[in-house]
Amino acid sequence: MNEIRAHKRTDAALQKARDVAEAANKAKSRYVVGISHELRSPLNAILGYAQLLERDPSIPERRRDGLRTIRRSGEHLAALIEGLLDISKIEAGRIELYRDEIRLPEFLDAIVDMMRFQAEAKGLAFVFDPPERVPPVVHADERRLRQILINLLSNAIKFTPRGSVSFRLRFRSEVAEFEVTDTGIGIPEADLPRIFEPFQRGGNARLPATPGAGLGLTITKALTEIMGGEITAASTPGSGSRFRVRLLLSGKVPAQQTAPERHITGQTRRGRPAEVLVADDDPDHRALVADLLEPLGFTVRQAADAPEALRIAREAAPDLFLLDIAMPGMTGWELARRLREEAGQSAPIVIVSANVPEVGATGEGLHHDDVLAKPVSLPALLDKIGRLLGIAWTFADAPPAPLLGGRLNLAPAQAAELRQLAVIGYVGGIRDRLDALEREDPGARDAVAALRSLIAEYRLDDFLAALSGASEAADDPGTGPGSPHDR
């Protein structure tokens, strides 16, 4: 009987400890969801206006590079915020993978450009070693793959006080092997088994523990294994570390060549302008949507809360509703229900919220037509609006390949090198080579700027055409400096 009573006390103690742990875990999840919402809301304005400014033709090209850096860095920050939620999802076994079509050269170039900037800002050399041929398109979860690579590269830069960081990619059949090597502080052999555990942060006597949650490698390992791959690490204290990730990336030739993004300039809708009601307690988000849609011929009405949205809906009968979920007094879910059942509104309703990743678990959403996550992708928003309202967009004419406004005489070897880089889609390498050409021949600055503008828009076919013209001019003895054709 004493033993039975002892077992009962032990069971009660275990149950109490389990309840405390579950309560703490739920509190952590609520905190993570709350803080991620608070961070994603201002990011929505930052990324939204960066996208709008990128579309502005009056912005000089040299400023566009800065805007692209702002946008890519903001997207990186948004991915880090998603990482906070991933740990809880992984622990609960609720993480989802998607099969995206990734245009690999552009995908790699965006990551390399962003990480090279971070490395060089710290005084480190950044080396990207691509394979001779890169599949133009592969299938994988794009966001998760980006998260894995950025986590590894960010760690390498963070723990390397001097020297270099190298990023290498090789393909064997359809298996991609990503390798990140640094010359940093290294990891003692005894610590290698635990570097993938949560909340483990690096540091030693020469480099104190760096800021961070200590979740980067944990998330990286979990995502790699969920995607069917493997990750290994090797390190020598004082000499650096090497992380290697192997993943199956099935590739295919795209159905059509990548075309430059066509900028929407208006719509072909006849009759009165389409009216859009934006209900959001964040004035920056309302202003962003208005700045995007009003120049395209829409009438945008704004509401700071649900009662105001209901009043406007009864008075104006908008053609489309864009509703936030978290608003004071009444949620977007309840507002959507009342618009349908009480106000008699049949117009499409799109939920636009920083909490979209959690929408599927709420049991809500019987009255909306689509969802869109903050930070908002402006092309995705326009695509949904066009589909829901049946709008045919008008586009700006694709700019022709610019004429080389200056002298650019390329040696056959130089032209062949640039042509090869364009064929494999290595845009970062092309930019480096153009910079070198400009340094070697200041008189070719205008011609190099024209080529650089093509690369900025990934217009590789036009780049190759312009490159052929430049190399043909170099081969023509009647077009050299001092000739009758020299301008």
Short mmCIF file of all heavy atoms in Angstrom, two decimals, residues 57 261-266 393-399:
data_model
loop_
_atom_site.label_atom_id
_atom_site.label_comp_id
_atom_site.label_asym_id
_atom_site.label_seq_id
_atom_site.Cartn_x
_atom_site.Cartn_y
_atom_site.Cartn_z
N PRO A 57 9.73 54.79 -62.83
CA PRO A 57 10.76 54.96 -63.87
C PRO A 57 11.64 56.18 -63.64
O PRO A 57 12.70 56.30 -64.26
CB PRO A 57 9.93 55.10 -65.15
CG PRO A 57 8.59 55.58 -64.71
CD PRO A 57 8.36 54.97 -63.35
N GLU A 261 9.66 41.46 -65.64
CA GLU A 261 8.37 41.80 -65.06
C GLU A 261 7.74 42.96 -65.82
O GLU A 261 8.39 43.98 -66.09
CB GLU A 261 8.54 42.20 -63.59
CG GLU A 261 7.23 42.55 -62.93
CD GLU A 261 7.43 43.03 -61.51
OE1 GLU A 261 8.52 42.81 -60.97
OE2 GLU A 261 6.49 43.63 -60.95
N ARG A 262 6.49 42.79 -66.22
CA ARG A 262 5.79 43.84 -66.95
C ARG A 262 5.05 44.71 -65.93
O ARG A 262 4.26 44.23 -65.13
CB ARG A 262 4.82 43.23 -67.95
CG ARG A 262 5.49 42.33 -68.98
CD ARG A 262 4.47 41.71 -69.90
NE ARG A 262 3.82 42.71 -70.73
CZ ARG A 262 2.70 42.48 -71.43
NH1 ARG A 262 2.13 41.29 -71.37
NH2 ARG A 262 2.16 43.42 -72.17
N HIS A 263 5.29 45.99 -66.01
CA HIS A 263 4.69 46.90 -65.05
C HIS A 263 3.26 47.24 -65.47
O HIS A 263 3.02 47.69 -66.60
CB HIS A 263 5.52 48.17 -64.93
CG HIS A 263 6.89 47.93 -64.37
ND1 HIS A 263 7.10 47.15 -63.26
CD2 HIS A 263 8.11 48.37 -64.76
CE1 HIS A 263 8.38 47.10 -62.99
NE2 HIS A 263 9.02 47.83 -63.89
N ILE A 264 2.32 47.02 -64.56
CA ILE A 264 0.92 47.34 -64.83
C ILE A 264 0.74 48.85 -64.76
O ILE A 264 1.18 49.50 -63.81
CB ILE A 264 0.02 46.63 -63.81
CG1 ILE A 264 0.11 45.11 -64.00
CG2 ILE A 264 -1.41 47.09 -63.95
CD1 ILE A 264 -0.64 44.31 -62.95
N THR A 265 0.09 49.41 -65.80
CA THR A 265 -0.14 50.86 -65.83
C THR A 265 -1.61 51.24 -65.71
O THR A 265 -1.93 52.42 -65.53
CB THR A 265 0.41 51.44 -67.15
OG1 THR A 265 -0.23 50.78 -68.26
CG2 THR A 265 1.92 51.22 -67.25
N GLY A 266 -2.51 50.28 -65.83
CA GLY A 266 -3.93 50.60 -65.74
C GLY A 266 -4.77 49.38 -65.99
O GLY A 266 -4.29 48.24 -65.94
N TRP A 393 -5.52 43.84 -67.44
CA TRP A 393 -4.59 44.93 -67.15
C TRP A 393 -3.99 45.47 -68.44
O TRP A 393 -3.87 44.76 -69.45
CB TRP A 393 -3.47 44.44 -66.23
CG TRP A 393 -3.91 43.92 -64.90
CD1 TRP A 393 -3.90 42.62 -64.49
CD2 TRP A 393 -4.43 44.68 -63.81
NE1 TRP A 393 -4.36 42.52 -63.20
CE2 TRP A 393 -4.70 43.76 -62.76
CE3 TRP A 393 -4.71 46.02 -63.60
CZ2 TRP A 393 -5.21 44.16 -61.53
CZ3 TRP A 393 -5.22 46.43 -62.38
CH2 TRP A 393 -5.48 45.51 -61.37
N THR A 394 -3.59 46.72 -68.37
CA THR A 394 -2.75 47.29 -69.42
C THR A 394 -1.33 47.41 -68.88
O THR A 394 -1.14 47.68 -67.69
CB THR A 394 -3.25 48.67 -69.86
OG1 THR A 394 -3.27 49.57 -68.74
CG2 THR A 394 -4.66 48.57 -70.44
N PHE A 395 -0.36 47.18 -69.75
CA PHE A 395 1.03 47.14 -69.32
C PHE A 395 1.85 48.18 -70.06
O PHE A 395 1.52 48.58 -71.20
CB PHE A 395 1.64 45.75 -69.60
CG PHE A 395 0.98 44.63 -68.85
CD1 PHE A 395 -0.09 43.95 -69.40
CD2 PHE A 395 1.42 44.27 -67.59
CE1 PHE A 395 -0.71 42.91 -68.73
CE2 PHE A 395 0.81 43.22 -66.90
CZ PHE A 395 -0.25 42.55 -67.46
N ALA A 396 2.91 48.60 -69.40
CA ALA A 396 3.89 49.44 -70.08
C ALA A 396 4.59 48.61 -71.13
O ALA A 396 4.85 47.42 -70.93
CB ALA A 396 4.89 50.01 -69.07
N ASP A 397 4.85 49.22 -72.26
CA ASP A 397 5.57 48.49 -73.30
C ASP A 397 6.93 48.07 -72.78
O ASP A 397 7.61 48.82 -72.08
CB ASP A 397 5.76 49.37 -74.55
CG ASP A 397 4.43 49.64 -75.23
OD1 ASP A 397 3.52 48.81 -75.07
OD2 ASP A 397 4.31 50.68 -75.90
N ALA A 398 7.32 46.83 -73.11
CA ALA A 398 8.64 46.36 -72.69
C ALA A 398 9.71 47.23 -73.32
O ALA A 398 9.69 47.46 -74.54
CB ALA A 398 8.84 44.91 -73.12
N PRO A 399 10.61 47.78 -72.54
CA PRO A 399 11.62 48.66 -73.10
C PRO A 399 12.53 47.90 -74.06
O PRO A 399 12.90 46.76 -73.80
CB PRO A 399 12.41 49.14 -71.87
CG PRO A 399 12.17 48.09 -70.84
CD PRO A 399 10.80 47.56 -71.10
#
